Amino acid sequence: MDAKKITPLVAQYKAIKEQYPDVILMFRLGDFYEMFGDDAVTASRELEIVLTSRSQGYAADVPMCGVPYHAVDKYVAKLISRGYRVAICDQLEDPKKAKKIVKRGVTRVVTPGTVLEDGMLDAKSNNYLVAVTSEPELYGLAVVDISTGEFAVTEISQKNGSRELLDEISRLAPAEVLLRELDWDLEAPIRANTTAVVTKYECDSFYRKPAKDFLLEHFHTESLRGFGAEQMTAALEAAAMVIDYLRQTNQNALASISSMSTYSTSGFMILDSAARRHLELTQSLSGTTKGASLLSVIDQTKTAMGARLLRKWLDQPLLDVEAINRRLDAVEELYTNVLSRKDVRDQLGGVQDLERLMSRIVAETATPRDLVAFAQSLKKVPSIARSLEGSRSERLHTLREALDYLESIVELIERAIVNDPPAAVRDGGIIAQGYNSELDELRRASIDGKSWVAALETRERERTGIKNLKVSYNTVFGYYIEVTKPNLHLVPDEYIRKQTTTNAERFITPALKEIEAKILHADELAAELEYQLFCEVRSKVAEEARKVGKIARALAEIDVLSSLAEVAALRGYCRPVVNESEEIRIKNGRHPVVEAYLQERFVPNDTYVNCDSDQLLIITGPNMAGKSTYLRQVALITLLAQIGSFVPADEATIGVVDRIFTRVGAHDELASGQSTFMVEMNETANILNNATRRSLIVLDEIGRGTSTYDGLSIAWAVAEEINKISARTLFATHYHHLNELEKELRGVKNYRVTVREEKDRIVWLRKIVPGGTDKSYGIEVARLAGIPQSTIERAREILKELESDRTSRGLVDGRTKIKVREETLQLTLFSLDKHPVIEELENLDITTMSPIEALNKLYELQKKLSKDGLPGR
Amino acid sequence: MQSKSETSDASRIIILDEHTANRIAAGEVVERPVSVVKELVENSLDAGATQITVSIEQGGKELIKVTDNGCGMTREDAILSLQRHATSKIRSASDLKAIRTLGFRGEALPSIASISILEMITKHESQPAGTRLEVEAGSITNLESVGAPQGTTIIVRKLFFNTPARLKFLKSAQTEFSHIAEYVGWFALAWPTVSFRLLHGGREVLSSPATGQRLNSIVEVLGKDIAKQLVEVHYELPGVRVEGFVSCPSLTRINRRDQIFFVNGRPIRNKIIAHALDYAYRGLLPSGRYPVAVLFLEVPPELVDVNVHPAKSEVKFSNEQEVHSAVYRSVNMALTTGAAIPTISEHAEPLGKPAPISSEQADITSKLFVPWPDAATQQHIQPMNLSAFQEALRRRREQALSEISDVGEDSWQKGSGVPVEESPVPEADFIAPRTVALTGVRVIGQARNMYVLAECDDGLLVIDQHVAHERILYDQLLRFDAESRSAIQRLLTPITISLSASESTVVRQRLDMLNQAGFDLEEFGRDTFILRGAPPQLKPSQAEAILRDIIAELVELSVERHLIVRSDQVLITTACKMAIKAGEKLDDREMKQLVEDLLKCENPFVCPHGRPIIVSLSNWELDRKFKRT
């Protein structure tokens, strides 16, 4: 393109665009934000807006499209949700005052992880930005949510490769992840495991300070010891990345990050992403809807802050028995004290999202309505504290102490801002009467002016003798004097005609216009002053960010505790006994999600599992009979107990579990290019490699997705291995041969789902009772499904044959039966591999052998065969 | 529970012999949906259930479903239960004397089955499978095994489908449901160790968990605001034990609706208890006001006759004196010692302290109340002590006014558990005004500058001057026409009225109605209006103030209801603000004019807000009070 022929405007645009190549640049032109070139094509497609083009002198037509400035937020939100990043380029000076072209610059780069605007955020979940760095053996991870001000760092070991890191990232479910060039190999797995946008972090200046210094500067402190992160070099590196990135994209947001905390993933029960998904903790398996997840059932929170905290609790069940019991004590107290609980929840209903409001106040984007909502929310604090007076449980007591009433701010806001302010910030109508004398003066001047105008009517009527002369107002002409046609002859000379209507004429006078100008001027000054005063009030409130954060966190926890109590009362849950024992004992347990959505009553079931005598429960029975539900309910009850909630059962004793493993269902992972069986083996391998004695393992059908004998043998071997690990395990399987294990191994107990056959149908009793199954109901289920009767008959015949085949070889003694089976199995394996003798035979080069050598070889081989009988010994 | 131990017998249900069956007057067991609910819930309770869920559709006319986790029934018992006079609860007539269980006549289930489409799912712990039965008009149409948890579910569909006569007598779905809700609420109060849930059309109306504490059930059923103002009651005499909660004198009601009594867990009406309650509050309440009370009495079964009424809601005590004494003393003690309800706080002020009664007040109130020893009448008679009368009336009116604005929320609040049919007019315990014809009306005078007293052919009338005038003005405003428009009085100087942003919005939305109300108002700059004329009924000096009053109230209404104020609301508010107030002295001419104008109104009995304008005392009633009839 010929540089000489480019207009200054285009040059300005190009210069800015060069700095932001991978980002959609929105360029403010008059009342619109315009996009050019590829940006425009993309935007037009994603936003469904019209694409036009503009010629630039002699240059080729450039595609462009635009959106009106006042609606820009919603368009930006849409682009962000599609994974794009958007740079907003504003006019930096008043167009009226500009000399040549208006100065412009990028004020903001909006990325998924750095949004602050209410319309782009989901109230009930955090919006995390995560940065990842690596060092030998360690990953550093920093996570920030600028809308709430949370900022935390941690380090994760690399001993399991990137698995732990990926688990933690998927737990956080961030909107955006930052990676350096040298860690870019993590990009694919991160994208596979989460819905986050992965952004490459570009270090801005070559001479950027070392991470530690950078952070010290940001937090204005002398040392990082206060944050507990002095030695965590990888974590600090990640933290510095985050701060720098924010500086590049959203300067204002930095102000809301006033402190940093460290955490460790080892303080919580470990749940990998598969477990989270299979247990449907925060999302149902079927889709991304929140319906039919555990969270949807136990979330009765009244505030957005509470909802976010509950989600966090669900993702991080505790391991410390005392901490768990502290929570349970608080929940119990709120459960028995219906009056207090209802009071607290009523009050909480009037509390808005203090965390996000505060962040907007600090970032100077809060509106007058935000401030009023903020004050109204803070006003609820004393009554909430009162409702919790005399709480006996430690947690409630502590939380109550944290409820500070920031009287001075509330009073300031109430004094300064009217009760029902507008949303706009520059149009006045914000500041209350009596707050500022200068403002009051200006308003008085305006009112006085208007009274003068009103009185003008009477005066003019007398003066001119026009009895029905009227002084009126409209937005086009302002004030005017209206005289009906019949009276026009009485109109004095100094009246200047402005407008004619059907029955009247409208006039102005110089005096009238002078007063009107005075009124308008006063109004203008007043509006400006109001804006200034508002900003002052806003900054004053921003100073209390830390205190408000503390209060907000306390309110959030009170909300969560009372929500758990409310759910317990509503759904008939009981308080679990949580201790360090090795058992899980549940009486009449129910699946919390299924029972909520079921039309008929849920059939409860008992559970008893520990680390020795009843360690591996093998549950057999037909499909559709309730095995999966049973398995999941045991896991969910354990999890609920360890977050400090009551559980759906008559009684429950839970010995703390360090990790829940799940291997559930044939969930196809076609998207990641792996077959069902492969995935299953991966997950099983993970379990066998990582389970400890304190883990809880829930296996729903191992050995599907491959041939029956293979599957059975793998299932068998896995069961044996788990028995050695001694982790508490529930293993549902359709291989009822596994029932044999009860006799062979200590700790294995058989259970089955009961069904009853009646006339022509199967009744699912849904009761789990001790004992193995001797019958697989596969054929009956097929019949119910509608397989034609003739096929069913044939199947029954074949089944009879197969079963009699097996039994004829088996003998009375159970032990012998197993042995025979073992042999059969090994024969199968045998047949797959070539026997070593055959292999040797194959490899013999008989052309070079002498007869004697051949005979010797034959003798050797024969000896091999007769001695062993079978290979591998 | 007795029936549980009895079920260890081989045959748990037996057929009563003819003789015994005859001894029991069956009567009409099933009158309406609430009777069905009552019987089914009582069965559940007798089965030892700790969780009972009642689901209703269309007020019970379409569906009544009661689910419990009690002991359930075996397949054989399930079939037997549908036979008449079969019960597990008594064996012979002598057992009647020792009734502790609630249902016993063996009538309920078969009766219900005979007039509905019934489905039963039940499972007993002795059997692995549950049983499902379908019954239509008394005969079993389906019987099969089913997987189910222990307990029983009874589903009653299309009640009275085969008795159209009874079907016609049923009231609206809402009315029928309100009876059910009331009854389930009573159950929840009586059984704090059982959790109750009530749903209507899928929506949860009541949820009372089993915490074992009566107060928690009261919070759920009556609401936490009432619960906060209750004091605990506890007293025992040989032969009767009283427990429960009664309200502080600061909390009163206009009728006895919130007085709920239980005897041995059964909700009942009883005049002895009611009277003893009233007696204990003597001197503490304004006339016409009743306390709230939830009282649980335990009386040995042989001293109570429960068979008095087929619906079992009335009982007769053998030891009336003791019962009366116990109730009176228990309530008296609670009120005088002001025992606080147990709250979380140890240090909080006891809520139950009744306000100390000054000696002067006590003097007045003692003159006010003459306790009536005859338990047959439940009203008190007040002598014409005018100042106390007026004071009581004033308080009563205030209460009535606050209740009217509450009625919208309270009725539908889950906590109150008793959705009431929306009626803006609180029930008066005077004779309904409409029984008095407004003929031959003659003004007698003005009482306390608030009421115009008049006589008519049929009796005496007391007319509230403010609401009467409000009604007159409102009707006038409605009839706005060109004539009225020209009657607007011009202001000497137009007045500029500056408003806030929200006020301006409301005024702009309803400028037309304000004009119709008689205010010549126009926009005059930003958030400013110019007032040129006001309704002729106003004095010009009042115009601005009254207009600002109206605007303030309209803003409040619009905020509350989150929508544009209804046009008639503007007129109502205008009429209200312009009308003569209580406390204004009226001369003879003004009173006459007022009454004349009032009688011309289409509805002279109720003001546009729904409050009563005329209260009447018929000649007959008056004479009766003086014992002339």
Side-chain angles (χ1 to χ4, degrees), chain B residues 90-380:
Chain B
I90 64 175
R91 295 239 177 270
S92 70
S94 52
D95 286 338
L96 274 175
K97 292 211 197 69
I99 303 283
R100 269 216 185 270
T101 65
L102 296 163
F104 61 90
R105 285 205 196 96
E107 288 285 335
L109 217 43
S111 299
I112 297 171
S114 65
I115 37 128
S116 70
I117 300 179
L118 186 108
E119 189 183 332
M120 178 197 302
I121 299 165
T122 183
K123 179 185 171 325
H124 193 266
E125 64 177 342
S126 64
Q127 295 183 332
T131 310
R132 186 159 159 272
L133 277 163
E134 278 169 35
V135 183
E136 195 170 310
S139 9
I140 298 182
T141 56
N142 188 16
L143 175 65
E144 58 187 9
S145 291
V146 75
Q150 185 175 310
T152 305
T153 299
I154 310 261
I155 307 176
V156 175
R157 290 195 175 88
K158 302 222 184 303
L159 189 62
F160 296 137
F161 80 106
N162 54 357
T163 53
R166 277 204 244 179
L167 190 58
K168 261 210 313 197
F169 269 104
L170 294 185
K171 298 268 176 2
S172 72
Q174 204 49 54
T175 313
E176 293 297 338
F177 180 70
S178 67
H179 290 304
I180 294 176
E182 194 174 37
Y183 225 98
V184 175
W186 291 345
F187 274 123
L189 289 174
W191 298 83
T193 49
V194 176
S195 83
F196 282 90
R197 275 184 84 206
L198 174 62
L199 297 102
H200 191 203
R203 196 175 51 97
E204 190 171 89
V205 170
L206 175 70
S207 166
S208 175
T211 59
Q213 291 182 35
R214 291 207 196 277
L215 186 63
N216 286 336
S217 310
I218 291 182
V219 170
E220 294 289 351
V221 175
L222 295 178
K224 80 173 152 83
D225 297 319
I226 292 185
K228 280 191 184 155
Q229 298 180 69
L230 298 178
V231 282
E232 197 166 358
V233 158
H234 180 84
Y235 196 79
E236 193 162 347
L237 278 181
V240 58
R241 193 166 83 196
V242 180
E243 274 177 7
F245 295 89
V246 295
S247 59
C248 317
S250 52
L251 173 67
T252 62
R253 285 280 175 271
I254 204 156
N255 55 32
R256 287 188 195 279
R257 191 190 219 116
D258 285 329
Q259 288 181 359
I260 310 172
F261 311 135
F262 296 89
V263 168
N264 297 345
R266 181 198 304 269
I268 53 145
R269 273 187 249 281
N270 184 271
K271 296 202 174 93
I272 308 288
I273 302 176
H275 182 266
L277 186 64
D278 286 346
Y279 202 62
Y281 275 89
R282 172 177 60 128
L284 296 175
L285 303 178
S287 70
R289 309 297 303 188
Y290 298 93
V292 174
V294 182
L295 294 175
F296 303 91
L297 274 70
E298 295 285 323
V299 179
E302 50 285 3
L303 298 180
V304 188
D305 184 356
V306 298
N307 208 19
V308 167
H309 188 277
K312 303 179 221 154
S313 69
E314 298 256 353
V315 294
K316 200 154 171 8
F317 294 109
S318 318
N319 55 348
E320 282 188 357
Q321 268 308 104
E322 282 80 5
V323 170
H324 188 278
S325 244
V327 172
Y328 170 74
R329 289 200 200 158
S330 61
V331 177
N332 194 35
M333 257 173 58
L335 293 176
T336 48
T337 61
I341 19 166
T343 59
I344 253 185
S345 162
E346 240 107 73
H347 314 289
E349 294 268 315
L351 290 170
K353 255 207 182 78
I357 304 178
S358 68
S359 53
E360 184 192 299
Q361 205 171 347
D363 202 37
I364 294 173
T365 48
S366 65
K367 287 201 190 98
L368 204 55
F369 290 95
V370 177
W372 197 249
D374 179 1
T377 59
Q378 294 173 348
Q379 284 197 15
H380 289 217

Side-chain angles (χ1 to χ4, degrees), chain B residues 439-459:
Chain B
T439 53
V441 179
R442 187 182 73 83
V443 169
I444 301 176
Q446 191 184 23
R448 227 227 164 173
N449 294 342
M450 265 166 61
Y451 301 99
V452 174
L453 303 172
E455 68 172 347
C456 67
D457 288 338
D458 283 350

Side-chain angles (χ1 to χ4, degrees), chain A residues 284-355:
Chain A
S284 69
L285 261 180
S286 54
T288 50
T289 53
K290 284 194 213 116
S293 66
L294 182 62
L295 185 61
S296 70
V297 168
I298 66 172
D299 187 355
Q300 289 280 333
T301 53
K302 289 282 196 175
T303 66
M305 310 180 285
R308 293 195 294 268
L309 182 63
L310 178 60
R311 201 198 183 104
K312 278 203 201 100
W313 278 20
L314 211 52
D315 278 335
Q316 293 185 313
L318 303 175
L319 296 177
D320 179 354
V321 172
E322 272 184 43
I324 295 174
N325 277 312
R326 272 199 294 273
R327 285 186 185 175
L328 281 170
D329 285 340
V331 172
E332 183 171 356
E333 189 163 0
L334 288 166
Y335 171 80
T336 36
N337 223 298
V338 179
L339 214 48
S340 300
R341 182 174 83 236
K342 283 208 185 302
D343 262 343
V344 167
R345 283 168 66 76
D346 264 352
Q347 299 296 325
L348 282 172
V351 174
Q352 309 269 352
D353 193 344
L354 280 172
E355 281 179 346

Side-chain angles (χ1 to χ4, degrees), chain A residues 34 145-146 252 280 316 416 435 644 669 680 758 805 831:
Chain A
E34 304 280 1
D145 180 352
I146 56 169
N252 282 339
E280 296 181 291
Q316 293 185 313
Y435 176 69
E669 246 103 352
E680 192 182 288
E758 197 178 70
D805 245 5
S831 58

Side-chain angles (χ1 to χ4, degrees), chain B residues 391-463:
Chain B
E391 176 62 21
L393 271 171
R394 180 190 68 77
R395 259 187 279 165
R396 181 168 161 235
R397 198 161 149 260
E398 271 174 37
Q399 191 74 22
L401 291 180
S402 65
E403 250 174 281
I404 287 170
S405 49
D406 282 348
V407 130
E409 299 158 23
D410 261 340
S411 323
W412 305 107
Q413 203 179 46
K414 211 178 78 146
S416 65
V418 187
V420 181
E421 263 175 337
E422 185 140 39
S423 73
V425 184
E427 296 165 34
D429 31 350
F430 285 81
I431 308 288
R434 283 165 216 265
T435 62
V436 169
L438 297 176
T439 53
V441 179
R442 187 182 73 83
V443 169
I444 301 176
Q446 191 184 23
R448 227 227 164 173
N449 294 342
M450 265 166 61
Y451 301 99
V452 174
L453 303 172
E455 68 172 347
C456 67
D457 288 338
D458 283 350
L460 291 177
L461 304 173
V462 182
I463 301 171

